[in-house]
Amino acid sequence: QRVNVTVRSGLPMVLSGSAEPCAQLVVSSIGVVGTAEQNKGHSARFFDVLTAQLGLGPDRIVIRFYPLEPWQIGKNRTVMTFL
């Protein structure tokens, strides 16, 4: 219920000036990705999974964290503030 995943493969991407295979993970969440300390732990776990599953080195992966407020997410004809 709290996690949504979108995978878009085959997109042309350049990371650190190189078009070699790479990946970008965008993580947004309410109250889970708001601090450097939280994101440090999340980052380590995500990198473990992504490097193993994608066969990429950690230098070919970038993760972007976006903290959200409950009023920024619509669900069930309202926003999360009221759910």
Side-chain angles (χ1 to χ4, degrees), residues 73-83:
I73 302 296
K75 187 173 179 181
N76 295 336
R77 302 180 67 197
T78 186
V79 293
M80 294 300 290
T81 303
F82 303 107
L83 294 176

Side-chain angles (χ1 to χ4, degrees), residues 3-81:
V3 176
N4 296 299
V5 176
T6 301
V7 176
R8 295 183 188 147
S9 63
L11 296 176
M13 291 178 60
V14 174
L15 179 62
S16 300
S18 170
E20 291 297 312
C22 61
Q24 174 179 256
L25 174 64
V26 178
V27 180
S28 57
S29 181
I30 298 168
V32 178
V33 298
T35 69
E37 202 59 40
Q38 286 174 317
N39 293 346
K40 181 180 177 183
H42 298 317
S43 183
R45 290 187 297 276
F46 283 131
F47 269 94
D48 288 346
V49 171
L50 292 172
T51 55
Q53 293 297 314
L54 300 177
L56 297 173
D59 61 321
R60 300 303 301 154
I61 300 169
V62 66
I63 302 173
R64 296 168 43 191
F65 294 99
Y66 290 98
L68 298 172
E69 296 296 326
W71 54 266
Q72 293 176 305
I73 302 296
K75 187 173 179 181
N76 295 336
R77 302 180 67 197
T78 186
V79 293
M80 294 300 290
T81 303

